Amino acid sequence: MTTQIISKMSHQERIQRRDEKRAEVLKIARRMGWINVEAASELLDVTRPAAARTLKWLDTAGMLCLHEQSGMPKRIWYSISATGIAEAYFLENLPLPSGTLQAGRWKIAPQNYQHEQEVLVFAIKALKAGADVQLFEQSAPGGSKTRAISSKYPDLRVEIDGQVFGIEIEREVKSQRRYRGIVASHWQAIERQQYDGVLYLSPGYSTRDRLGRIVKSVFNRVRIGGRERALTDQERQRFLFGTYSQGISFINNIGEKDNGQGG
């Protein structure tokens, strides 16, 4: 929304727009457990200072909780409180889950902060592209917080027009040995119909290509059900690789095809 359009709004329209922004922040914070200025700026299509003001208001209102990590660079984020979660359920016209509402992410390890931020921003972009996005812990039966869906769960569960994908945000390439176990775990989850495939996403093309090579190198020896076997060509096609922007294009393309707009 441009400054020129905002300047033409009435006072009541500006109040409505302000409340809508606050509601959008609470909705994504409920799904992800936390939010920061970078993610809020992406979500609301506003500047970082404007996003910071919205987060500060929600913190003052008791719906978000401010957290700061010392060191350089200094990191600031907001977890969602139990009050904020209840408000988000109300805004989304969803029934409150039984039991005590658990507050959001109170801890983020400094070494994981950048990865967690990139997962959060991708989730927001996927939601804006029309997908339903959840953490796997929230999609487990009963909203379990154990994330006990598979021994290696993806960063996100993304559903678009009935197709479900596990999203893996990979900023760095792991060892072949680690991917051998990860691929086996993902394939077992696919066989259980927990998701249809896995989409590995990297920040750039070089990381994407190296990642693709090393993951594909383990396809001939995947340990499943106590024995090793090679994945078939059809099974290998369940593992996809792209950059962050290609991941959003992939989601958009599925939506266009299922709406009868694809080629």
Side-chain angles (χ1 to χ4, degrees), residues 169-189:
I169 300 297
E170 298 284 281
R171 300 182 64 247
E172 298 178 354
V173 179
K174 303 179 182 70
S175 68
Q176 184 186 59
R177 180 178 179 180
R178 289 188 64 184
Y179 282 117
R180 195 177 303 281
I182 290 170
V183 168
S185 183
H186 282 320
W187 184 251
Q188 290 171 28

Side-chain angles (χ1 to χ4, degrees), residues 54-103:
T54 298
L55 296 178
K56 184 176 180 180
W57 187 92
L58 289 167
D59 174 41
T60 302
M63 297 184 191
L64 297 179
C65 301
L66 174 65
H67 303 271
E68 297 185 27
Q69 282 184 350
S70 59
M72 295 299 292
K74 185 177 181 180
R75 298 182 175 100
I76 297 174
W77 83 92
Y78 296 81
S79 63
I80 188 167
S81 67
T83 300
I85 292 174
E87 179 68 11
Y89 274 107
F90 171 77
L91 292 168
E92 296 181 85
N93 294 315
L94 296 173
L96 282 172
S98 59
T100 303
L101 293 176
Q102 300 295 320

Side-chain angles (χ1 to χ4, degrees), residues 11 41 79 130 180 206 259:
H11 176 71
S41 177
S79 63
R180 195 177 303 281
S206 61
N259 288 325

